[in-house]
């Protein structure tokens, strides 16, 4: 289990499949979170069973269940995707599924935990995110965190019966280490 100030993340277990499926079936959450693969209970359970651990040197993807640190309730999911050890980068996909927990610092803390894994546990140079244009909260959050817009893929994703642009946002390790907002956040821990 890995933790920040407000969240803990852990590899999902079979007993978490029902809550994961509930979130993946939630149309609003699916518009916000880009890391799920399927929403049938069988698909969710298969993904849990096939899940890799952070210590697995062959893992190309890691899935996490996100819990509120103060009461251990599940509040979301996260993934580290496209782990590229040769080139030293990976994508992150944070997702606070519990709507009542959004805008309360859980998402920010989750991004800190995920970036710390990519930069310090893996020793990578770069982390990136893909954020759909219809997820303005996610886009604003990532940009205010310190991610830089690196590109816009026009009409790249078909969601909600329409095509939307997808933004590529990136952050380098030295940029992350110089983010005053992250320094202040960690100092309060």
């Amino acid at each position: 289990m890995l933790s920040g100030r407000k969240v803990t993340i852990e590899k999902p277990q079979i007993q978490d499949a029902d809550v994961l499926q509930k979130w993946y079936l939630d149309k609003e959450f699916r518009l916000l979170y880009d890391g799920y693969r399927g929403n049938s209970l069988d698909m969710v359970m298969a993904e849990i069973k096939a899940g890799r651990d952070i210590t697995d040197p062959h893992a190309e993807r890691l899935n996490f269940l996100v819990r509120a640190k103060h009461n251990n309730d599940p509040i979301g999911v996260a993934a580290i995707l496209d782990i590229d050890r040769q080139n030293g980068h990976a994508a992150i996909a944070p997702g606070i599924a519990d709507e009542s927990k959004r805008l309360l610092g859980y998402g920010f803390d989750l991004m800190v935990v995920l970036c710390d894994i990519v930069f310090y546990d893996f020793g990578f140079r770069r982390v990136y995110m893909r954020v759909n244009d219809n997820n303005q909260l996610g886009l604003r959050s990532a940009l205010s965190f310190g991610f830089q817009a690196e590109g816009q893929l026009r009409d790249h994703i078909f969601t909600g019966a329409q095509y939307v642009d997808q933004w590529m946002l990136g952050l380098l390790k030295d940029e992350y280490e110089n983010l005053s907002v992250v320094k202040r956040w960690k100092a309060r821990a």
Side-chain angles (χ1 to χ4, degrees):
M1 178 185 332
L2 302 161
S3 67
R5 285 186 45 221
K6 298 186 85 152
V7 301
T8 61
I9 65 172
E10 61 192 22
K11 183 178 170 186
Q13 304 299 313
I14 290 297
Q15 61 266 25
D16 302 318
D18 288 336
V19 72
L20 293 173
Q21 183 196 29
K22 179 183 119 188
W23 291 334
Y24 294 163
L25 288 171
D26 180 337
K27 183 179 179 182
E28 181 183 329
F29 183 64
R30 281 197 323 266
L31 293 175
L32 302 176
Y33 183 64
D34 189 38
Y36 75 97
R37 289 189 177 166
N39 56 21
S40 75
L41 189 56
D42 289 341
M43 291 175 84
V44 171
M45 290 177 72
E47 187 169 36
I48 290 171
K49 289 176 184 174
R52 302 285 187 129
D53 188 83
I54 192 167
T55 60
D56 184 342
H58 302 291
E60 295 176 6
R61 175 191 178 99
L62 300 170
N63 294 314
F64 301 101
L65 180 69
V66 180
R67 295 184 180 276
K69 195 172 186 177
H70 74 280
N71 63 8
N72 209 35
D73 285 347
I75 62 168
V77 291
I80 299 177
L81 315 159
D82 304 329
I83 298 170
D84 185 339
R85 287 172 175 77
Q86 180 177 347
N87 295 303
H89 60 78
I92 61 171
I96 303 300
D98 182 341
E99 191 173 356
S100 71
K101 301 295 188 244
R102 295 180 195 148
L103 303 175
L104 297 176
Y106 292 99
F108 184 91
D109 193 43
L110 179 56
M111 283 199 288
V112 170
V113 172
L114 294 171
C115 285
D116 279 356
I117 293 169
V118 171
F119 291 133
Y120 304 121
D121 291 335
F122 292 158
F124 289 173
R125 169 99 177 105
R126 179 175 179 275
V127 65
Y128 63 98
M129 296 175 68
R130 294 180 288 260
V131 181
N132 295 345
D133 199 48
N134 61 341
N135 180 0
Q136 287 299 303
L137 174 61
L139 192 55
R140 283 193 312 272
S141 296
L143 292 171
S144 69
F145 183 88
F147 280 82
Q148 301 294 313
E150 296 179 334
Q152 179 181 8
L153 304 172
R154 298 176 302 137
D155 284 352
H156 190 68
I157 300 293
F158 187 77
T159 183
Q162 65 179 348
Y163 284 97
V164 296
D165 295 354
Q166 188 175 68
W167 290 89
M168 297 297 290
L169 309 171
L171 183 64
L172 301 177
K173 182 178 181 181
D174 59 335
E175 294 169 341
Y176 176 72
E177 291 174 338
N178 289 316
L179 292 175
S180 60
V181 67
V182 172
K183 289 178 185 178
R184 286 193 309 270
W185 186 262
K186 288 182 175 186
R188 293 171 55 192

